[in-house]
Amino acid sequence: MKNRIPIEVWVPDLTFPGWMDRWYQQAADFERLHPEYQVVVHGKDFWQLPRQVAEAAAEGHVPALSEYYFYMTQVARDSRRQDGRPLFTSVEKAVGGRTEVLGEPVVLDDIIPPLRDYYTLAGDLTCMPTVGTTSLLYGNTDLLRRAGVESLPRTWQEVEEVCARVAALRDGPSHAITWSNHGTFIQQALATQGGLLVNEHNGRLGRATVADLASPEMLRWVEWWRGLHRNGHYYYTGKIPDWAGTLKAFADQDVAIRISSSNDVNYMFRAAEDNGFDIETGIFPYDASVPYVGNAIAGTALWMAEGLDEATQEGALAFLMYLHSPRNAAERHKANSFLPLTHSAHDLLEEEGWYAANPHHRLAYDHVMRFPTGQSGVPASEGALFGDFAGNQDVMTRAIGDVLNGADPAERMAFATVEAQELLDAYNAYALSSGFRDPRNSPPTSLSVEAFKEMRAGRDYSAADMEAVVKLHR
């Protein structure tokens, strides 16, 4: 068909096997259903995509759909065109209460609450969640059974007991437990306690202006972490975040437990199979001495450009709905162990026997749905919303690295709060004055991207796969 309507889609290429192939195939399948459209998908560098979108906007060209990682949500909300208009428009408002767009069923009301909540502000779902993860615990059950442990620990206190049992093993692993020094686990630990990273109810009631990395909830987690390390139970590679190093330690059976992302289910079970031991998944452990509040999520979302002509906007909306049909969402889960995006996708996986055959894939969904709507009044599943979230993560992980190397927790996290506050102030000053209309003058979105790339260069287990894992987690 001549003069087809183009829909340009920019996504980060996570380099998972077949990742971009799946994108291209979905675009082609959509075109067969809607031959009046041409969907042009571009796989972009994970590290640079938000800046590239801003640069395109500065030149007067914006892709119809742009996929941002969750910690860039405030940047997406603040981004402006050269004329001052918002760069992106609300997906929910564009749908306008309809049940279908160009024949594609609208799935907005079907999105599971933990994912929908994160990208909703003031009752408005502004973008379409695309990928969702949470944190899980993985146990080498061969080692744990040898230590007399019959079930995976669920609380910090149970973790301590299990670690002591593993340490007592003759010819046991050098350490009992490991996880990467990364912000996602800090956020999860805070969420379980109802702790916040910034003011204004984690940025949900207004623009966040005050950072706090020394809250009681943060210090409780950091001191517990330090205690495991001091007692010889926690294996710290000395690198930040070192996803590959902690995965290798688990694969080599140098530890009995690894905490990691739910996205690692496939990788972790492959590591166990390749190295001849059994594995089980468990929930991210919580402190039994305080009320359990909820979970944190991570992932990506597609944002739709503001100012598209009607035909292009309708096509972009229809493509969003098509991407997250029950079948497509279910297949994405199977391929990469991401959370099923919608209730319908989850139900389809259940009906087809996927969970019965792969029960380890069910846990992440059950875990995040334990408190799906923040009944406690603390935005656990919604998560924090503020500027330079990536920089904040760099600050907190460097601080914890110092604590594990001997620094006083309260003093070091207090200093980290000062660092985080400087980043937040700089971000807000820039965003409120320019709205990201000139990406050349914008502050960095991360303190240490180059350093981080160097840190991951030493991986030596499943290098191609780990490249994708590291990119996703960052």
Side-chain angles (χ1 to χ4, degrees), residues 158-171:
E158 290 175 357
V159 167
E160 293 173 15
E161 294 174 6
V162 169
C163 286
R165 286 177 175 267
V166 172
L169 273 176
R170 178 177 295 182
D171 300 324

Side-chain angles (χ1 to χ4, degrees), residues 167 174-177 226-235:
S174 60
H175 296 77
I177 191 169
R226 182 181 68 156
L228 288 180
H229 184 245
R230 281 187 165 183
N231 291 331
H233 300 317
Y234 170 76
Y235 172 58

Side-chain angles (χ1 to χ4, degrees), residues 267-288:
Y267 296 101
M268 293 293 282
F269 274 74
R270 184 185 306 164
E273 181 180 0
D274 290 347
N275 291 278
F277 61 87
D278 289 333
I279 182 176
E280 289 182 4
T281 55
I283 66 169
F284 184 90
Y286 59 92
D287 184 359

Side-chain angles (χ1 to χ4, degrees), residues 156 186-198 201-202 212 215-218 220 286-287 290-296 371 374 376-382:
W156 295 2
I186 302 169
Q187 294 158 42
Q188 182 76 339
L190 292 180
T192 63
Q193 304 172 69
L196 308 176
L197 286 171
V198 290
H201 210 52
N202 247 2
D212 184 6
S215 66
E217 295 84 5
M218 176 70 83
R220 190 178 294 120
Y286 59 92
D287 184 359
V290 299
Y292 181 89
V293 176
N295 280 272
F371 292 104
S376 64
V378 177
S381 60
E382 294 100 315

Side-chain angles (χ1 to χ4, degrees), residues 3 8 19 46 52 69 133 153 195 211 238 248 285 318 356 375 422 438:
N3 301 320
E8 196 168 355
W19 182 257
F46 179 90
Q52 291 172 344
Y69 200 47
T133 66
K248 186 176 187 302
Q375 292 97 319
E422 290 176 351
D438 186 355

Side-chain angles (χ1 to χ4, degrees), residues 113-398:
L115 294 179
R116 182 183 174 97
D117 289 351
Y118 186 87
Y119 299 101
T120 296
L121 188 64
D124 178 38
L125 179 64
T126 48
C127 54
M128 172 63 79
T130 49
V131 165
T133 66
T134 190
S135 302
L136 297 177
L137 181 147
Y138 300 86
N140 177 328
T141 52
D142 289 358
L143 286 173
L144 294 175
R145 298 296 182 265
R146 280 181 53 202
V149 177
E150 296 301 322
S151 59
L152 296 182
R154 298 172 63 87
T155 67
W156 295 2
Q157 292 76 12
E158 290 175 357
V159 167
E160 293 173 15
E161 294 174 6
V162 169
C163 286
R165 286 177 175 267
V166 172
L169 273 176
R170 178 177 295 182
D171 300 324
S174 60
H175 296 77
I177 191 169
T178 191
W179 62 86
S180 299
N181 182 5
H182 188 269
T184 190
F185 305 122
I186 302 169
Q187 294 158 42
Q188 182 76 339
L190 292 180
T192 63
Q193 304 172 69
L196 308 176
L197 286 171
V198 290
N199 68 334
E200 292 294 347
H201 210 52
N202 247 2
R204 295 285 165 175
L205 298 181
R207 179 176 292 274
T209 57
V210 178
D212 184 6
L213 299 185
S215 66
E217 295 84 5
M218 176 70 83
L219 291 177
R220 190 178 294 120
W221 163 251
V222 174
E223 288 169 355
W224 180 73
W225 188 347
R226 182 181 68 156
L228 288 180
H229 184 245
R230 281 187 165 183
N231 291 331
H233 300 317
Y234 170 76
Y235 172 58
Y236 182 43
T237 69
K239 299 179 181 180
I240 302 173
D242 204 10
W243 297 99
T246 60
L247 173 55
K248 186 176 187 302
F250 186 81
D252 291 346
Q253 303 191 70
D254 292 330
V255 296
I257 295 172
R258 181 184 184 230
I259 294 173
S260 193
S261 168
S262 59
N263 170 246
D264 273 359
V265 168
N266 289 338
Y267 296 101
M268 293 293 282
F269 274 74
R270 184 185 306 164
E273 181 180 0
D274 290 347
N275 291 278
F277 61 87
D278 289 333
I279 182 176
E280 289 182 4
T281 55
I283 66 169
F284 184 90
Y286 59 92
D287 184 359
S289 69
V290 299
Y292 181 89
V293 176
N295 280 272
I297 61 99
T300 59
L302 278 167
W303 294 75
M304 188 169 69
E306 190 273 342
L308 298 175
D309 64 80
E310 183 178 358
T312 302
Q313 177 168 295
E314 288 294 281
L317 285 174
F319 184 60
L320 286 177
M321 302 307 133
Y322 171 78
L323 284 175
H324 304 299
S325 66
R327 173 55 60 193
N328 283 334
E331 292 303 319
R332 189 178 303 109
H333 162 81
K334 290 181 181 180
N336 299 107
S337 61
F338 294 131
L339 289 166
L341 184 77
T342 63
H343 295 292
S344 296
H346 171 75
D347 293 345
L348 181 62
L349 292 164
E350 190 80 76
E351 293 165 6
E352 293 185 342
W354 168 257
Y355 289 134
N358 303 275
H360 48 281
H361 278 283
R362 182 200 301 272
L363 180 61
Y365 176 88
D366 291 343
H367 194 25
V368 299
M369 292 296 287
R370 182 172 179 180
F371 292 104
T373 55
Q375 292 97 319
S376 64
V378 177
S381 60
E382 294 100 315
L385 178 64
F386 64 100
D388 208 347
F389 201 157
N392 182 288
Q393 289 195 123
D394 287 338
V395 167
M396 67 173 75
T397 54
R398 286 201 308 271

Side-chain angles (χ1 to χ4, degrees), residues 11-14 16 18-25 41-43:
V11 300
D13 182 357
L14 300 182
F16 289 116
W19 182 257
M20 290 309 302
D21 291 340
R22 185 171 293 105
W23 269 108
Y24 300 142
Q25 186 60 56
V41 178
H42 296 279

Side-chain angles (χ1 to χ4, degrees), residues 50-82:
R51 187 176 295 276
Q52 291 172 344
V53 173
E55 289 171 348
E59 296 172 359
H61 170 74
V62 183
L65 298 171
S66 303
E67 190 175 37
Y68 281 21
Y69 200 47
F70 80 103
Y71 63 70
M72 296 297 290
T73 299
Q74 186 66 55
V75 170
R77 293 184 181 280
D78 288 336
S79 293
R80 295 289 183 271
R81 295 175 177 269
Q82 293 302 296

